[in-house]
Amino acid sequence: MAVLIIDGGAGALLYEAEHRHGIYDALQVGWKVLTRGGSALNAVSKAITNMEDNPSFNCGTGSVLTIDGKVEMDASVMTEDGKYGAVGAIRQIKNPILVARKVMEQTDHLLLVGDGSIKFARLMGFKKYEKITKRSKDRLAKLKKEGKSDYFPKLKKYMKLGTVGAIALDNKKRIAVATSTGGINGRLSGRVGDSAILGAGTYADENGGATATGHGELIMKLFLSKLVVDLMKKYSAQKAVDIALKQVRSQKGLCGIIALDKKGNVGIGYTPKSMSWGYIKDGKVNIF
Ligand code: ASP
C-alpha cells in the first residue's frame, strides 16, 4: 500500500484557493512516482520541488523575507532507515530540498548552512537562482509598517507562517519525509528554524514520519516531529498528533503537524486558524 500526505503550511491561510490547487498538483506529482513503483524518497522530493516552484507557498520561489529583505531557506529530508540531510539559511537556490537530499546522499554531514551550503550546491551543479516575489516584498513592507509580531515580540513586528512538508510510504514499506520553508516573515538574517533541524521539523523512523510547520522556535524546543514519531510506537498517527498538539496548546503555540505511520494511517493537526493539507490513500484524494 502506498500513501502520500502533504501540507502547505499552517497560519493565516492567505491564498486558500491557490493552496488547494497547489496541494492537488503536488499530490499528483508525488503520487505518480509511487504508482510507478518509485521510492517514498523520490515521491516526497518531487512533491516538495513542485511546491517550491509554486509561488503560492512559503518555500523556494514564494519564500517570505528576512527583516533585511533577503530570501533564506531551510529544508530537510529523512528516511525511515535514519538517513538525513538538511540545509539552513541557504540563498540563491531554486530548490533547497534537492540540495538537502544531496547533503544526505553525497556528504558525511547532516546539515550545511549559509555560504557553505551555497558552495556545496554549486559543486553539485545547482545554478544560481534569485527571485523575490512581489507578494513577499509586500508582506515585509506590511510587517514593517504595522510593527508588531505575536511570535517575535523582541522584533515588535508581524508575520505569517507557511512551510511545506510531505511524507510518503511506498509499496516496499519505505518511509520518507521532506520539509521546506522560506522561514518566518521578518526574522533576523542568519536565523535557522525547525525545518533544518533533525527531529524538530522533520523526523522518520521505522514507525512512521512527521513534518511540522508553524513557530519554529517552539517546534525546536519540543522536538515536535520526533515527539510525534515516538508516540507512533504506541498510537496511530492521528492520536500521536493529537497528544503532541496538547503540548503545543499548553504553551499557547502556533504549530501544525502531519504524520504517517507504518500502517499507512495519516494524522493531521494544527493550532492556528488553518492549515492546508491533502493526502492520497487507496488512490483517493482528500484535500482540506
Ligand atoms: N516552521 C517555519 C519556521 O519557523 C515556518 C513555517 O512553518 O511557516 O521557519
Side-chain angles (χ1 to χ4, degrees):
M1 178 193 25
V3 185
L4 174 66
I5 178 164
I6 62 182
D7 79 87
L13 205 46
L14 299 177
Y15 318 107
E16 190 172 325
E18 287 179 24
H19 268 229
R20 244 178 251 284
H21 283 115
I23 295 270
Y24 184 83
D25 286 350
L27 278 175
Q28 296 303 324
V29 166
W31 187 246
K32 207 160 145 190
V33 175
L34 293 173
T35 51
R36 289 184 178 169
S39 67
L41 178 60
N42 281 339
V44 296
S45 304
K46 287 265 186 199
I48 296 296
T49 303
N50 179 276
M51 295 171 97
E52 286 177 339
D53 292 344
N54 181 341
S56 307
F57 296 108
N58 173 21
C59 58
T61 297
S63 291
V64 297
L65 307 176
T66 62
I67 197 74
D68 41 7
K70 301 260 160 51
V71 168
E72 291 183 1
M73 302 162 287
D74 300 335
S76 58
V77 62
M78 186 166 189
T79 50
E80 90 297 333
D81 52 357
K83 295 193 182 105
Y84 181 86
V87 288
I90 194 168
R91 290 172 279 112
Q92 301 173 337
I93 282 292
K94 191 164 187 238
N95 295 112
I97 198 65
L98 299 181
V99 186
R101 184 170 168 176
K102 288 283 186 204
V103 172
M104 177 173 98
E105 293 176 333
Q106 305 290 337
T107 78
D108 299 313
H109 308 306
L110 297 178
L111 168 64
L112 294 179
V113 303
D115 289 346
S117 65
I118 301 169
K119 212 168 159 187
F120 170 72
R122 299 283 178 262
L123 194 70
M124 292 291 118
F126 293 94
K127 300 220 160 58
K128 186 167 177 179
Y129 178 86
E130 257 183 320
K131 188 164 161 90
I132 298 180
T133 64
K134 180 176 178 305
R135 222 176 238 180
S136 295
K137 283 185 193 156
D138 291 349
R139 280 168 76 167
L140 184 63
K142 186 165 185 256
L143 175 137
K144 287 186 169 173
K145 197 167 151 217
E146 294 185 352
K148 71 175 181 23
S149 163
D150 294 342
Y151 309 95
F152 296 151
K154 288 182 188 147
L155 284 180
K156 301 249 181 303
K157 304 289 176 192
Y158 161 96
M159 57 167 202
K160 298 274 182 262
L161 308 173
T163 296
V164 303
I167 317 165
L169 171 71
D170 65 27
N171 288 321
K172 292 188 179 146
K173 297 190 168 40
R174 292 172 296 194
I175 297 164
V177 184
T179 311
S180 183
T181 192
I184 292 179
N185 189 25
R187 70 208 180 278
L188 293 179
S189 175
R191 177 261 195 189
V192 173
D194 61 295
S195 305
I197 303 300
L198 177 59
T202 301
Y203 198 73
D205 69 15
E206 66 284 356
N207 298 300
T211 166
T213 173
H215 190 193
E217 279 67 13
L218 180 61
I219 296 169
M220 288 190 270
K221 283 184 187 165
L222 294 175
F223 283 104
L224 195 59
S225 294
K226 169 97 165 75
L227 175 67
V228 169
V229 173
D230 283 350
L231 285 162
M232 289 196 289
K233 276 182 206 151
K234 206 162 150 199
Y235 301 107
S236 69
Q238 188 58 56
K239 180 93 182 148
V241 167
D242 293 344
I243 295 172
L245 282 184
K246 275 192 196 148
Q247 290 205 28
V248 174
R249 280 198 190 92
S250 73
Q251 305 211 24
K252 298 192 173 26
L254 295 175
C255 303
I257 187 133
I258 56 170
L260 178 62
D261 65 34
K262 62 179 177 212
K263 293 185 188 144
N265 299 308
V266 301
I268 300 160
Y270 47 94
T271 61
K273 247 206 228 133
S274 46
M275 179 169 87
S276 59
W277 55 264
Y279 65 92
I280 305 191
K281 189 176 168 176
D282 303 323
K284 239 182 82 193
V285 182
N286 298 274
I287 290 191
F288 72 105

